Amino acid sequence: MPAPVGAKLPAKVLQAIAFQCGLAQAGTRPVLAERIQTAAREFQPLTPDARILSIDMGLRNFAFSLLSPPKPPPLTQHPSTNKPTPLAHLHAWKRIDLLRLSAAADSQASDDFTPSTMAARAVALVQSRFLPLAPTHVLIERQRFRSGGASGVLEWTLRVNTLEAMLYAAFTTLRAVGAWDGQLVAVPPSRATRFMVGEGEVGVGGVLLGLEAEGEGVGAKMKQADSKKLKIDLLGRCLEGGRVIELEGAQVKKAVDDFLEGRAKTATGRSRVKPTETSVKKKKGETVVKSEAGAILTKLDDLSDSLLQGVAWLEWQRNIGRLHETVPWVLGDPE
């Protein structure tokens, strides 16, 4: 079988194309070229009424957002108008504690992680929260079994992975019986973060905000805590004024106001919020008080992940569409 035409390109060029399209960057030049060609051939343009449900997995910290592609500018708009087109429209944005919801219905449910209870949580989420939003695409944050190179698998990680699998099963069953005709997409979280925030250079989100011109690069590889603060700050800038992400509805605007208020409290790590006794944890027999600022940071991180994931995926689709329309070799045509 002959190598794809694009395999003649340098590996760095193919890796850059894959990065801009949300594809894996590993592999030889023929593998990368074939991966890019497959994405372009299978590309299906998003319709104006597409609704993208972006899910950040967790049990205590489960977050989701509902987005739609930006509307095309009106035909009456003069070409000289320099009003930027937003990346997306935000229709819903929420973080929920699934264990607290379960406990409200059943006093034993919050500590029950049996398959039957986890299945009930997944079905309740899909029926009561997600289907009413009428999503056409469901993006689910891809979970890993191990983090940070650890050899063991944490029990809590297995629980979240179980919920992830059950959400896939629920949506797949609905599609099989004709109750839902949308698409399921797994999104590696590190891929979305690098795309939007950047690592060693300014990410797409930073370029849109003009940070590249201001010289505000990310610098060296980010630590996880730095990454969280950077994502929150970037998203806060995107949300301010509704220029990059347009807001739809009073509930969404209230959620954004709360996010921006929380961001202000934790900005640059200089929060004036004092520690509170409402959140404590035990560590080697010692009581450790967790600050309210730390709790706010965790909440904002989950919210930002769900929204940035959705925005990144929309931008990947636009880039694949541009390839499909303008680059002959991705469709196997002669150069």
Side-chain angles (χ1 to χ4, degrees):
M1 182 177 177
V5 176
K8 299 176 184 178
L9 296 173
K12 288 187 176 180
V13 173
L14 292 171
Q15 289 169 349
I17 294 172
F19 174 78
Q20 292 295 331
C21 296
L23 305 173
Q25 297 174 261
T28 61
R29 288 189 299 171
V31 169
L32 284 166
E34 180 64 29
R35 186 178 297 142
I36 294 167
Q37 283 185 326
T38 300
R41 289 169 181 164
E42 296 177 352
F43 173 72
Q44 296 180 349
L46 294 174
T47 60
D49 59 348
R51 294 168 68 84
I52 293 86
L53 176 64
S54 177
I55 297 173
D56 181 71
M57 292 298 303
L59 286 171
R60 295 190 184 280
N61 305 302
F62 187 98
F64 64 89
S65 58
L66 183 72
L67 305 102
S68 64
K71 300 180 180 69
L75 296 176
T76 55
Q77 181 173 309
H78 195 274
S80 62
T81 304
N82 292 323
K83 183 180 180 181
T85 301
L87 282 178
H89 296 271
L90 180 60
H91 302 273
W93 195 27
K94 195 172 183 63
R95 172 187 173 273
I96 52 180
D97 183 341
L98 298 182
L99 302 187
R100 182 174 295 179
L101 286 179
S102 299
D106 183 346
S107 59
Q108 301 298 321
S110 62
D111 298 321
D112 187 354
F113 301 98
T114 59
S116 59
T117 301
M118 295 292 281
R121 287 191 178 106
V123 170
L125 264 178
V126 173
Q127 282 188 326
S128 63
R129 299 272 182 172
F130 296 156
L131 288 183
L133 297 176
T136 57
H137 300 74
V138 177
L139 318 180
I140 301 180
E141 178 198 23
R142 184 71 179 96
Q143 298 298 291
R144 295 180 296 177
F145 286 102
R146 295 178 176 87
S147 297
S151 58
V153 180
L154 300 176
E155 184 177 0
W156 198 262
T157 301
L158 290 175
R159 292 169 180 171
V160 178
N161 286 346
T162 299
L163 177 64
E164 176 191 16
M166 289 179 171
L167 287 177
Y168 275 100
F171 277 112
T172 302
T173 301
L174 289 170
R175 191 166 53 193
V177 299
W180 180 68
D181 61 354
Q183 297 182 28
L184 281 167
V185 182
V187 181
S190 59
R191 199 174 298 170
T193 297
R194 287 197 303 270
F195 182 78
M196 289 301 297
V197 180
E199 188 173 276
E201 59 185 13
V202 178
V204 170
V207 172
L208 289 166
L209 291 170
L211 302 188
E212 189 174 36
E214 297 172 15
E216 297 185 27
V218 174
K221 283 183 175 288
M222 298 174 291
K223 296 180 180 178
Q224 186 175 12
D226 296 332
S227 172
K228 288 182 179 181
K229 292 179 180 178
L230 201 59
K231 287 186 292 184
I232 292 168
D233 184 53
L234 173 66
L235 184 57
R237 299 190 194 198
C238 288
L239 292 170
E240 286 173 339
R243 180 172 63 87
V244 178
I245 300 174
E246 203 164 73
L247 312 181
E248 303 284 347
Q251 291 183 338
V252 168
K253 291 177 182 177
K254 174 65 166 59
V256 169
D257 288 342
D258 291 343
F259 180 89
L260 295 177
E261 181 181 350
R263 169 178 170 251
K265 291 181 179 179
T266 59
T268 65
R270 296 193 296 268
S271 173
R272 298 179 180 179
V273 181
K274 296 181 179 179
T276 174
E277 295 290 345
T278 59
S279 179
V280 297
K281 59 181 179 179
K282 297 286 186 178
K283 184 177 181 181
K284 296 182 179 179
E286 197 175 326
T287 301
V288 179
V289 179
K290 185 178 181 181
S291 71
E292 184 182 343
I296 292 173
L297 181 65
T298 299
K299 177 181 179 180
L300 299 185
D301 178 56
D302 299 317
L303 285 167
S304 65
D305 282 349
S306 73
L307 186 44
L308 289 176
Q309 173 179 272
V311 172
W313 187 81
L314 280 170
E315 191 66 15
W316 292 338
Q317 296 306 296
R318 280 190 280 271
N319 290 339
I320 295 173
R322 294 185 188 109
L323 274 180
H324 184 277
E325 294 173 359
T326 62
V327 183
W329 70 262
V330 299
L331 298 179
D333 298 331
E335 293 180 306

